[in-house]
Amino acid sequence: MALSTLGIGVGRLEQSPVLRSTSSKPYQRLAARQPAVTCSQDSGPHRKTDAFQRTVPKAATLGSSPTQETTKAQPAADKEPALFNWTKQWYPMAAVQDLDPAVPHPIKLLGKELVLWRDAQGWRALEDNCPHRNVALSEGRIEPSNGSLMCSYHGWCFDGQGKCIAIPTAGQMDRKSEESACNSKRSAVASYPTQEKEGLLWVWAESGPTSFIEASATPAKSNESYASWPGESKIKWTFERYVRDVPGSFDCWVDNMTDQSHAQFAHNGALSKP
């Protein structure tokens, strides 16, 4: 019974033209009826109007602007924090010493299937998908003649920018047709910026025409203090040696990494001693 009564009261409040209007005319009409509402404080039928009187803003009786009263009553809206763009960031994907430059390597970054491979200019990152038949380029090989990444299905070759530079089946028939097909955007593969830092290979998580410009202007979030520590090469070597791929749940490994008391026992002789 109390809930239904409350629902009716709220419904009347929302439909009240006095509260929803921003003009002064509703208050003028209310002022004309005001003596009938506040003429008496004793018992009787006038007490039934007390609830309605309390719902009327003070601006109605004082003659102030309803817009000003409403503005004062509402708290200032908090400023929305800047959104974090997950794709416009550098991510360490592998220890360089663990990567064989003679073969391509599949990786996954923010749900994207990528392939890492090395040409004469350094490590490259491309979309791990040949635009011809959707075969994973990580299953291909490095072409010895020009250092390009060759698809293992029909031999399409790609350079470090993801441009197709050779289509053997088309070239055997007509060199001009092959050149035209290679220049088509449909034969290209998305490329991602890369860099080597502190023995790690970092990949920028976004491709596109402006990705290399944005990546070059954004430093990787690495530990800059390594450069100022004595014995930097020894620290770098230790850090790289402890990159491991071990199956396990996320919560289990977070618990493991935050549990510092296990190190001297579980890693006896490697990290510390009991």
Short mmCIF file of all heavy atoms in Angstrom, two decimals, residues 175-212:
data_model
loop_
_atom_site.label_atom_id
_atom_site.label_comp_id
_atom_site.label_asym_id
_atom_site.label_seq_id
_atom_site.Cartn_x
_atom_site.Cartn_y
_atom_site.Cartn_z
N ARG A 175 53.65 -10.44 -66.99
CA ARG A 175 54.34 -9.62 -66.00
C ARG A 175 53.55 -8.36 -65.65
O ARG A 175 53.52 -7.94 -64.50
CB ARG A 175 55.73 -9.24 -66.53
CG ARG A 175 56.55 -8.40 -65.58
CD ARG A 175 56.75 -9.09 -64.24
NE ARG A 175 57.41 -8.24 -63.28
CZ ARG A 175 57.56 -8.52 -61.99
NH1 ARG A 175 57.05 -9.68 -61.53
NH2 ARG A 175 58.17 -7.71 -61.19
N LYS A 176 52.87 -7.77 -66.61
CA LYS A 176 52.08 -6.57 -66.35
C LYS A 176 50.89 -6.88 -65.45
O LYS A 176 50.52 -6.08 -64.59
CB LYS A 176 51.60 -5.97 -67.66
CG LYS A 176 52.71 -5.34 -68.50
CD LYS A 176 52.14 -4.65 -69.72
CE LYS A 176 53.24 -3.96 -70.52
NZ LYS A 176 52.70 -3.26 -71.73
N SER A 177 50.29 -8.04 -65.64
CA SER A 177 49.17 -8.43 -64.78
C SER A 177 49.64 -8.63 -63.34
O SER A 177 48.96 -8.25 -62.38
CB SER A 177 48.53 -9.72 -65.30
OG SER A 177 47.99 -9.53 -66.59
N GLU A 178 50.84 -9.21 -63.19
CA GLU A 178 51.39 -9.40 -61.85
C GLU A 178 51.67 -8.05 -61.19
O GLU A 178 51.36 -7.84 -60.02
CB GLU A 178 52.67 -10.21 -61.92
CG GLU A 178 53.31 -10.45 -60.55
CD GLU A 178 54.66 -11.12 -60.66
OE1 GLU A 178 55.29 -11.04 -61.73
OE2 GLU A 178 55.10 -11.70 -59.65
N GLU A 179 52.24 -7.14 -61.94
CA GLU A 179 52.54 -5.82 -61.39
C GLU A 179 51.28 -5.07 -61.00
O GLU A 179 51.24 -4.42 -59.95
CB GLU A 179 53.33 -5.01 -62.43
CG GLU A 179 53.78 -3.65 -61.93
CD GLU A 179 54.60 -2.91 -62.97
OE1 GLU A 179 54.95 -3.50 -64.01
OE2 GLU A 179 54.90 -1.72 -62.72
N SER A 180 50.25 -5.18 -61.84
CA SER A 180 48.98 -4.53 -61.52
C SER A 180 48.35 -5.12 -60.26
O SER A 180 47.82 -4.40 -59.41
CB SER A 180 48.02 -4.65 -62.70
OG SER A 180 46.75 -4.10 -62.38
N ALA A 181 48.42 -6.44 -60.14
CA ALA A 181 47.85 -7.10 -58.96
C ALA A 181 48.62 -6.75 -57.70
O ALA A 181 48.04 -6.56 -56.62
CB ALA A 181 47.83 -8.61 -59.17
N CYS A 182 49.93 -6.62 -57.79
CA CYS A 182 50.75 -6.27 -56.62
C CYS A 182 50.49 -4.85 -56.15
O CYS A 182 50.59 -4.56 -54.96
CB CYS A 182 52.22 -6.46 -56.94
SG CYS A 182 52.76 -8.20 -57.11
N ASN A 183 50.16 -3.97 -57.07
CA ASN A 183 49.90 -2.57 -56.72
C ASN A 183 48.50 -2.35 -56.17
O ASN A 183 48.19 -1.26 -55.67
CB ASN A 183 50.11 -1.67 -57.93
CG ASN A 183 51.58 -1.57 -58.33
OD1 ASN A 183 52.46 -1.69 -57.48
ND2 ASN A 183 51.84 -1.37 -59.62
N SER A 184 47.66 -3.36 -56.25
CA SER A 184 46.31 -3.24 -55.73
C SER A 184 46.33 -3.27 -54.20
O SER A 184 47.08 -4.03 -53.57
CB SER A 184 45.43 -4.37 -56.26
OG SER A 184 44.17 -4.36 -55.63
N LYS A 185 45.48 -2.45 -53.57
CA LYS A 185 45.38 -2.45 -52.10
C LYS A 185 44.81 -3.78 -51.58
O LYS A 185 45.04 -4.13 -50.43
CB LYS A 185 44.49 -1.30 -51.65
CG LYS A 185 45.08 0.08 -51.92
CD LYS A 185 44.16 1.18 -51.39
CE LYS A 185 44.75 2.56 -51.64
NZ LYS A 185 43.88 3.64 -51.12
N ARG A 186 44.10 -4.48 -52.41
CA ARG A 186 43.51 -5.75 -51.98
C ARG A 186 44.56 -6.82 -51.75
O ARG A 186 44.31 -7.80 -51.04
CB ARG A 186 42.50 -6.22 -53.03
CG ARG A 186 41.30 -5.29 -53.20
CD ARG A 186 40.42 -5.76 -54.34
NE ARG A 186 39.94 -7.11 -54.13
CZ ARG A 186 39.27 -7.82 -55.05
NH1 ARG A 186 39.04 -7.28 -56.24
NH2 ARG A 186 38.85 -9.03 -54.79
N SER A 187 45.74 -6.67 -52.35
CA SER A 187 46.80 -7.66 -52.18
C SER A 187 47.75 -7.32 -51.04
O SER A 187 48.67 -8.08 -50.76
CB SER A 187 47.59 -7.81 -53.48
OG SER A 187 48.26 -6.60 -53.80
N ALA A 188 47.57 -6.18 -50.40
CA ALA A 188 48.46 -5.76 -49.32
C ALA A 188 48.03 -6.35 -47.98
O ALA A 188 46.87 -6.74 -47.79
CB ALA A 188 48.50 -4.24 -49.24
N VAL A 189 48.97 -6.37 -47.06
CA VAL A 189 48.75 -6.88 -45.70
C VAL A 189 49.02 -5.74 -44.71
O VAL A 189 49.96 -4.96 -44.90
CB VAL A 189 49.66 -8.07 -45.38
CG1 VAL A 189 49.42 -8.58 -43.96
CG2 VAL A 189 49.43 -9.20 -46.38
N ALA A 190 48.18 -5.62 -43.69
CA ALA A 190 48.37 -4.58 -42.67
C ALA A 190 49.71 -4.77 -41.96
O ALA A 190 50.06 -5.88 -41.56
CB ALA A 190 47.23 -4.60 -41.67
N SER A 191 50.45 -3.68 -41.80
CA SER A 191 51.75 -3.73 -41.12
C SER A 191 51.68 -2.91 -39.83
O SER A 191 50.92 -1.94 -39.73
CB SER A 191 52.86 -3.19 -42.03
OG SER A 191 52.61 -1.84 -42.37
N TYR A 192 52.50 -3.29 -38.86
CA TYR A 192 52.52 -2.66 -37.54
C TYR A 192 53.94 -2.24 -37.20
O TYR A 192 54.90 -2.98 -37.45
CB TYR A 192 52.00 -3.63 -36.47
CG TYR A 192 50.55 -4.02 -36.65
CD1 TYR A 192 50.18 -4.96 -37.62
CD2 TYR A 192 49.54 -3.45 -35.88
CE1 TYR A 192 48.84 -5.31 -37.80
CE2 TYR A 192 48.22 -3.81 -36.04
CZ TYR A 192 47.88 -4.73 -37.00
OH TYR A 192 46.56 -5.08 -37.18
N PRO A 193 54.12 -1.04 -36.63
CA PRO A 193 55.46 -0.59 -36.24
C PRO A 193 56.08 -1.50 -35.19
O PRO A 193 55.39 -2.07 -34.34
CB PRO A 193 55.21 0.81 -35.68
CG PRO A 193 53.91 1.25 -36.28
CD PRO A 193 53.10 0.00 -36.41
N THR A 194 57.39 -1.62 -35.24
CA THR A 194 58.14 -2.42 -34.27
C THR A 194 59.38 -1.65 -33.83
O THR A 194 59.84 -0.73 -34.52
CB THR A 194 58.58 -3.77 -34.86
OG1 THR A 194 59.45 -3.53 -35.97
CG2 THR A 194 57.38 -4.58 -35.32
N GLN A 195 59.93 -2.05 -32.69
CA GLN A 195 61.21 -1.52 -32.23
C GLN A 195 61.84 -2.49 -31.24
O GLN A 195 61.14 -3.25 -30.56
CB GLN A 195 61.06 -0.14 -31.59
CG GLN A 195 60.30 -0.14 -30.28
CD GLN A 195 60.44 1.17 -29.52
OE1 GLN A 195 61.55 1.63 -29.24
NE2 GLN A 195 59.30 1.78 -29.18
N GLU A 196 63.15 -2.47 -31.17
CA GLU A 196 63.89 -3.25 -30.19
C GLU A 196 64.34 -2.33 -29.07
O GLU A 196 64.90 -1.26 -29.32
CB GLU A 196 65.11 -3.92 -30.83
CG GLU A 196 64.76 -5.01 -31.82
CD GLU A 196 65.99 -5.73 -32.33
OE1 GLU A 196 66.92 -5.96 -31.51
OE2 GLU A 196 66.05 -6.04 -33.53
N LYS A 197 64.07 -2.75 -27.84
CA LYS A 197 64.46 -1.95 -26.68
C LYS A 197 64.65 -2.85 -25.48
O LYS A 197 63.77 -3.68 -25.18
CB LYS A 197 63.39 -0.88 -26.39
CG LYS A 197 63.82 0.14 -25.36
CD LYS A 197 62.78 1.27 -25.24
CE LYS A 197 63.26 2.36 -24.31
NZ LYS A 197 62.26 3.46 -24.20
N GLU A 198 65.80 -2.71 -24.81
CA GLU A 198 66.12 -3.50 -23.62
C GLU A 198 66.02 -4.99 -23.90
O GLU A 198 65.56 -5.78 -23.06
CB GLU A 198 65.21 -3.11 -22.45
CG GLU A 198 65.40 -1.68 -21.99
CD GLU A 198 64.43 -1.29 -20.89
OE1 GLU A 198 63.62 -2.14 -20.48
OE2 GLU A 198 64.47 -0.13 -20.45
N GLY A 199 66.42 -5.40 -25.09
CA GLY A 199 66.41 -6.81 -25.43
C GLY A 199 65.05 -7.37 -25.76
O GLY A 199 64.90 -8.57 -25.95
N LEU A 200 64.02 -6.51 -25.83
CA LEU A 200 62.67 -6.96 -26.14
C LEU A 200 62.22 -6.40 -27.48
O LEU A 200 62.67 -5.32 -27.90
CB LEU A 200 61.70 -6.50 -25.05
CG LEU A 200 61.96 -7.01 -23.63
CD1 LEU A 200 60.99 -6.36 -22.65
CD2 LEU A 200 61.83 -8.53 -23.57
N LEU A 201 61.35 -7.13 -28.14
CA LEU A 201 60.75 -6.65 -29.38
C LEU A 201 59.37 -6.09 -29.06
O LEU A 201 58.50 -6.81 -28.55
CB LEU A 201 60.63 -7.78 -30.40
CG LEU A 201 60.02 -7.39 -31.75
CD1 LEU A 201 60.86 -6.32 -32.43
CD2 LEU A 201 59.88 -8.60 -32.67
N TRP A 202 59.19 -4.80 -29.32
CA TRP A 202 57.95 -4.10 -29.03
C TRP A 202 57.15 -3.92 -30.31
O TRP A 202 57.71 -3.65 -31.38
CB TRP A 202 58.23 -2.73 -28.42
CG TRP A 202 59.01 -2.77 -27.14
CD1 TRP A 202 60.32 -3.13 -26.99
CD2 TRP A 202 58.54 -2.45 -25.83
NE1 TRP A 202 60.70 -3.05 -25.67
CE2 TRP A 202 59.63 -2.63 -24.94
CE3 TRP A 202 57.32 -2.01 -25.33
CZ2 TRP A 202 59.52 -2.39 -23.57
CZ3 TRP A 202 57.22 -1.77 -23.96
CH2 TRP A 202 58.29 -1.97 -23.10
N VAL A 203 55.84 -4.03 -30.21
CA VAL A 203 54.96 -3.87 -31.36
C VAL A 203 53.89 -2.83 -31.03
O VAL A 203 53.29 -2.87 -29.95
CB VAL A 203 54.28 -5.21 -31.76
CG1 VAL A 203 53.36 -5.02 -32.96
CG2 VAL A 203 55.34 -6.27 -32.07
N TRP A 204 53.69 -1.90 -31.95
CA TRP A 204 52.62 -0.91 -31.84
C TRP A 204 51.32 -1.57 -32.25
O TRP A 204 51.25 -2.23 -33.28
CB TRP A 204 52.93 0.29 -32.74
CG TRP A 204 52.00 1.44 -32.67
CD1 TRP A 204 51.01 1.75 -33.54
CD2 TRP A 204 51.98 2.49 -31.68
NE1 TRP A 204 50.38 2.91 -33.17
CE2 TRP A 204 50.95 3.39 -32.03
CE3 TRP A 204 52.74 2.75 -30.55
CZ2 TRP A 204 50.66 4.52 -31.28
CZ3 TRP A 204 52.45 3.88 -29.81
CH2 TRP A 204 51.43 4.75 -30.17
N ALA A 205 50.27 -1.44 -31.45
CA ALA A 205 49.06 -2.24 -31.63
C ALA A 205 48.08 -1.67 -32.63
O ALA A 205 46.90 -2.05 -32.63
CB ALA A 205 48.36 -2.44 -30.29
N GLU A 206 48.52 -0.79 -33.51
CA GLU A 206 47.61 -0.22 -34.50
C GLU A 206 48.34 -0.09 -35.83
O GLU A 206 49.51 0.26 -35.89
CB GLU A 206 47.11 1.15 -34.03
CG GLU A 206 46.03 1.75 -34.92
CD GLU A 206 45.44 3.02 -34.32
OE1 GLU A 206 44.54 2.91 -33.46
OE2 GLU A 206 45.89 4.12 -34.68
N SER A 207 47.62 -0.39 -36.90
CA SER A 207 48.16 -0.23 -38.25
C SER A 207 47.47 0.96 -38.91
O SER A 207 46.59 1.58 -38.34
CB SER A 207 47.93 -1.50 -39.07
OG SER A 207 46.54 -1.75 -39.22
N GLY A 208 47.88 1.26 -40.13
CA GLY A 208 47.24 2.37 -40.83
C GLY A 208 48.27 3.39 -41.29
O GLY A 208 49.45 3.33 -40.93
N PRO A 209 47.84 4.37 -42.08
CA PRO A 209 48.77 5.34 -42.66
C PRO A 209 49.47 6.23 -41.64
O PRO A 209 50.57 6.71 -41.87
CB PRO A 209 47.88 6.17 -43.59
CG PRO A 209 46.48 5.99 -43.06
CD PRO A 209 46.44 4.60 -42.52
N THR A 210 48.84 6.47 -40.47
CA THR A 210 49.45 7.35 -39.47
C THR A 210 50.08 6.58 -38.31
O THR A 210 50.63 7.20 -37.39
CB THR A 210 48.39 8.32 -38.90
OG1 THR A 210 47.36 7.56 -38.24
CG2 THR A 210 47.77 9.16 -40.02
N SER A 211 50.02 5.27 -38.33
CA SER A 211 50.49 4.48 -37.19
C SER A 211 52.00 4.64 -36.98
O SER A 211 52.46 4.74 -35.84
CB SER A 211 50.13 3.01 -37.38
OG SER A 211 50.73 2.48 -38.55
N PHE A 212 52.78 4.67 -38.05
CA PHE A 212 54.23 4.78 -37.90
C PHE A 212 54.63 6.16 -37.39
O PHE A 212 55.59 6.29 -36.63
CB PHE A 212 54.91 4.47 -39.23
CG PHE A 212 54.92 3.00 -39.58
CD1 PHE A 212 53.82 2.42 -40.19
CD2 PHE A 212 56.00 2.20 -39.26
CE1 PHE A 212 53.81 1.07 -40.49
CE2 PHE A 212 56.00 0.85 -39.56
CZ PHE A 212 54.90 0.26 -40.17
#
